[in-house]
Amino acid sequence: MKITFYGHSCFGIEYNGVRLLFDPFITPNELAKDIDINTLRPDFILVSHGHSDHVADVETISRASNATIVAAYEIASYYGAKGLNYHPMNIGGSWDFGKFRVKATNAVHSSVLPDGTYAGNPMGFIISGGPQTFYYSGDTALTMDMQLIGQKNKIDVAFLCIGDNFTMGIEDAVSAAGLVRCDTIVGMHFDTFPFITINHERAQKAFAEAGKQLILPSIGTTFEL
Ligand code: NI
Ligand code: MN
């Protein structure tokens, strides 16, 4: 799969012939100022929860691309009421979109939309159906529920929050990688704000010591996994 990092927790992923976009927070992100959201034409936008650093550009990009918004029922129907395409889900459920399958996983965090609208529960996603299966954690604490993800799936790549303070930090992300039984980790939710600035060297060392590869991509770069 071909992955482009748009900053914070936002990734564009070409998966089995479909363009997926996760948690678009680009225009308010000073670090991502070189990304032009008008060039993004995803087929689906997956939204882990309602916080502004995950939904800021959902409406604009969905309107321009007709992308279907896949999110918790409360978030999906919020955008549906604005005339956008949506597919509502909830934790524990899965759906076959044809070229890919989504399972909504538990995330231990909070969730509300920027205008105060109740956003249901935060979630992560397991994407399967293509040659690889990957896990996108969303914003979450380390939780024993991740053990089930590792038991029931062969996770080839895991996108894990790593910035601490609001989510897992480095050590907990290493533990999460162990629970989901994945050796190839893409870090997210780091360095965007002072509260989540991480020491890259320390992070790389912690994952290497656990026998795992950590990728901390630069914004705007595309790579293949
Ligand atoms: Ni959040
Ligand atoms: Mn966040």
Side-chain angles (χ1 to χ4, degrees):
M1 55 196 205
K2 197 160 123 191
I3 301 161
T4 304
F5 184 45
Y6 296 118
H8 200 47
S9 293
C10 181
F11 295 88
I13 302 181
E14 286 179 34
Y15 183 84
N16 213 22
V18 182
R19 288 167 309 216
L20 309 176
L21 184 72
F22 290 79
D23 284 5
F25 170 74
I26 299 166
T27 53
N29 183 358
E30 182 60 25
L31 302 176
K33 61 181 184 322
D34 293 336
I35 309 289
D36 176 8
I37 63 165
N38 298 307
T39 64
L40 304 183
R41 288 289 181 271
D43 302 303
F44 294 87
I45 303 173
L46 291 90
V47 180
S48 65
H49 65 295
H51 289 157
S52 63
D53 59 319
H54 300 260
V55 304
D57 296 312
V58 168
E59 188 172 341
T60 307
I61 297 172
S62 171
R63 215 173 279 293
S65 60
N66 283 319
T68 298
I69 297 160
V70 179
Y73 171 81
E74 292 82 356
I75 295 173
S77 47
Y78 170 84
Y79 288 113
K82 293 173 180 280
L84 302 171
N85 299 323
Y86 69 105
H87 180 100
M89 296 190 73
N90 213 329
I91 294 167
S94 59
W95 185 258
D96 192 340
F97 288 88
K99 296 269 192 181
F100 67 104
R101 190 173 180 86
V102 177
K103 178 148 190 169
T105 65
N106 195 24
V108 176
H109 192 66
S110 57
S111 186
V112 64
L113 282 151
D115 67 2
T117 301
Y118 174 66
N121 290 310
M123 52 176 62
F125 302 105
I126 299 168
I127 310 297
S128 61
Q132 289 149 300
T133 295
F134 71 91
Y135 169 54
Y136 178 93
S137 73
D139 282 9
T140 183
L142 174 65
T143 159
M144 286 303 285
D145 290 354
M146 291 169 178
Q147 207 169 40
L148 284 174
I149 295 172
Q151 280 170 11
K152 293 173 104 44
N153 305 271
K154 191 194 161 295
I155 303 293
D156 297 296
V157 179
F159 295 77
L160 301 178
C161 48
I162 194 174
D164 218 336
N165 191 74
F166 300 113
T167 70
M168 296 189 286
I170 294 166
E171 282 72 26
D172 283 355
V174 170
S175 300
L179 292 181
V180 303
R181 302 181 190 176
C182 182
D183 291 335
T184 304
I185 308 304
V186 181
M188 60 183 189
H189 215 269
F190 64 92
D191 288 359
T192 320
F193 315 111
F195 285 143
I196 60 173
T197 302
I198 63 165
N199 181 324
H200 288 224
E201 225 171 279
R202 189 164 75 78
Q204 294 294 357
K205 191 162 171 280
F207 277 84
E209 279 170 1
K212 296 179 187 300
Q213 183 198 9
L214 172 67
I215 298 162
L216 294 175
S218 302
I219 297 172
T221 57
T222 298
F223 54 104
E224 191 93 32
L225 283 177

